[in-house]
Amino acid sequence: MKRFTALLLLCAMTVGMLSGCGQKYDLYVFNWGEYIDPDVITQFEEETGLRVLYDEFEENEDMYSKIRSGAVSYDAVCPSDYMVEHMIQEGLLQEIDFNNVPNIKNIGESYLKQAEYFDPGNKYSVPYTWGTVGILYNKTMVDEPITSWSAIFDEKYKGNILMMNSIRDALGIALKYQGHSLNSTNEEEVKQATELLKQQKSLVQGYFVDQIRDKMIGNEAAIGIIYSGEVLYTQEENEDLEYVVPEEGSNIWIDSWVIPENAENKENAEKWINFLCRPDIALQNFEYITYSTPNVAAQELIEDEEIKESEVLFPGQDIMDRCETYKYLGKEGDKLFQKSWTEVKSK
């Protein structure tokens, strides 16, 4: 892993909330793994005098289950777009007092507008990172530049295709390729997408998440589905790798900070969110995790012009226009997607 050593240090610094250590903290944070510069936590503590307990999760659904159970009480959590919407609908979040988050002014209007798809009025969330889902391909292992999702369904790349082990991403790709919304819950459209993925399965080397990055770096496959935030690192390690958002369109995802309804330290959570929206801190995080920041003031501070102008990290409007943000599908939609994914994986 790119930041495995730093992650070990971070884990050594913190104690899991469920460990029974009995210590009292001023702020309980729940975030994705490897999704913050550990020094940022230290700086926040030093500047505010607040003690932070920092825990990590691997999947939105794992985080959701913990929050919904009420067994634990986190103050600041970082779910993805559709999960924010889900939690709002279930009354699991509370509105943010933006009087305590003046640095929201640094978040670009276009990102706040995108976030309204899952948080109307931007009442419950503040964008933290964002990006696209696309194809990473090895220029020496394909016949020509890839521009379409059709490549991952092409027999000539059999055994050289790495698929994302994700219900929403896999079905979303198939739906977009067939000309539908990636948020479709139309049974016939989802059925068609499911059949396409079942047919594709014999071509796929495997279904992965983090391993796709490493396998592509190691020339173990020609094509991999990947999040744009991973691309900068992969290209630094392997100059033959190219990234594209296919012409049929894809997903623009946004991970945002929210405050659970049962948070015991709301004002401290707002201090945390405000701190992360500070340009210098947002830049520091961007340089560490390499996932695009929606903080336009931080974007202006990027010194490397190649990175600053990167179409991968900061795609143009033409790419944005053909992409969609995930929405919560509802209980019936979730069941439909889960049933379809089970069919694909068990084929």
Side-chain angles (χ1 to χ4, degrees):
M1 302 294 285
K2 181 180 179 185
R3 292 169 295 276
F4 185 65
T5 302
L7 179 59
L8 287 178
L9 289 172
L10 175 59
C11 291
M13 289 165 52
T14 60
V15 182
M17 185 178 239
L18 303 182
S19 64
C21 63
Q23 296 186 55
K24 179 66 176 175
Y25 292 84
D26 303 297
L27 179 69
Y28 295 86
V29 178
F30 207 16
N31 194 11
W32 297 87
E34 295 189 81
Y35 221 37
I36 197 169
D37 183 341
D39 289 341
V40 165
I41 301 172
T42 302
Q43 288 175 246
F44 176 79
E45 290 182 318
E46 290 176 348
E47 289 191 25
T48 64
L50 301 174
R51 298 182 65 213
V52 178
L53 189 289
Y54 187 90
D55 279 348
E56 297 176 343
F57 58 87
E58 294 184 354
E59 300 286 344
N60 276 295
E61 286 67 27
D62 296 337
M63 174 277 303
Y64 166 77
S65 295
K66 280 192 175 183
I67 300 299
R68 194 176 191 283
S69 72
V72 291
S73 176
Y74 288 101
D75 303 308
V77 183
C78 188
S80 300
D81 31 52
Y82 73 94
M83 186 55 72
V84 173
E85 183 176 15
H86 187 182
M87 296 173 78
I88 291 173
Q89 290 185 13
E90 293 207 355
L92 296 178
L93 303 180
Q94 54 182 303
E95 293 187 15
I96 296 170
D97 182 352
F98 285 98
N99 290 321
N100 295 329
V101 190
N103 286 332
I104 186 70
K105 66 184 180 184
N106 297 317
I107 304 300
E109 285 298 324
S110 62
Y111 306 111
L112 292 172
K113 183 177 180 180
Q114 199 73 34
E116 289 204 67
Y117 283 102
F118 55 87
D119 177 13
N122 302 118
K123 298 177 181 179
Y124 295 89
S125 66
V126 174
Y128 177 56
T129 58
W130 71 285
T132 57
V133 174
I135 294 175
L136 185 69
Y137 66 93
N138 190 309
K139 292 179 286 187
T140 69
M141 299 173 70
V142 299
D143 296 338
E144 57 189 3
I146 289 175
T147 60
S148 167
W149 288 119
S150 62
I152 67 171
F153 303 107
D154 195 323
E155 283 277 350
K156 66 185 176 184
Y157 297 122
K158 183 175 182 178
N160 264 314
I161 300 168
L162 306 176
M163 278 296 286
M164 190 79 75
N165 188 23
S166 161
I167 299 175
R168 291 303 300 266
D169 290 321
L171 279 166
I173 287 168
L175 284 163
K176 291 298 284 186
Y177 177 55
Q178 294 178 321
H180 308 306
S181 168
L182 49 73
N183 292 305
S184 175
T185 54
N186 178 287
E187 289 191 19
E188 184 56 35
E189 292 176 357
V190 175
K191 181 180 178 181
Q192 291 172 8
T194 303
E195 290 303 314
L196 180 62
L197 292 174
K198 287 165 69 174
Q199 293 168 18
Q200 182 213 29
K201 192 171 182 181
S202 64
L203 309 180
V204 173
Q205 186 185 121
Y207 298 86
F208 309 99
V209 182
D210 290 339
Q211 300 98 315
I212 292 176
R213 172 185 61 194
D214 301 323
K215 283 179 171 289
M216 292 300 295
I217 289 171
N219 298 315
E220 295 180 43
I223 299 171
I225 308 303
I226 203 166
Y227 300 119
S228 58
E230 302 282 6
V231 176
L232 183 63
Y233 173 64
T234 63
Q235 291 179 331
E236 288 175 350
E237 298 296 311
N238 187 335
E239 62 183 13
D240 293 326
L241 299 179
E242 192 70 47
Y243 178 79
V244 63
V245 176
E247 59 195 15
E248 297 90 353
S250 186
N251 167 235
I252 292 179
W253 54 266
I254 300 178
D255 291 342
S256 301
W257 286 103
V258 299
I259 302 176
E261 179 60 32
N262 66 345
E264 297 179 358
N265 303 287
K266 183 174 185 287
E267 287 190 10
N268 290 345
E270 289 164 347
K271 288 180 182 179
W272 169 260
I273 295 171
N274 190 56
F275 182 77
L276 293 176
C277 288
R278 212 170 76 188
D280 60 319
I281 298 300
L283 176 66
Q284 186 175 331
N285 263 334
F286 167 70
E287 292 178 338
Y288 181 81
I289 64 178
T290 71
Y291 276 70
S292 303
T293 175
N295 192 307
V296 293
Q299 289 176 19
E300 288 301 315
L301 296 177
I302 298 173
E303 294 183 355
D304 188 319
E305 286 300 319
E306 188 174 343
I307 291 177
K308 196 172 185 177
E309 301 299 325
S310 171
E311 276 282 293
V312 174
L313 296 172
F314 304 106
Q317 197 60 47
D318 59 324
I319 294 176
M320 302 278 277
D321 287 344
R322 64 177 185 260
C323 294
E324 295 179 79
T325 300
Y326 286 136
K327 291 183 62 65
Y328 173 50
L329 302 175
K331 291 182 179 179
E332 291 306 311
D334 275 353
K335 288 180 182 177
L336 177 62
F337 268 51
Q338 185 62 61
K339 177 176 178 293
S340 297
W341 188 234
T342 299
E343 285 184 29
V344 173
K345 296 298 288 289
S346 62
K347 177 180 179 295

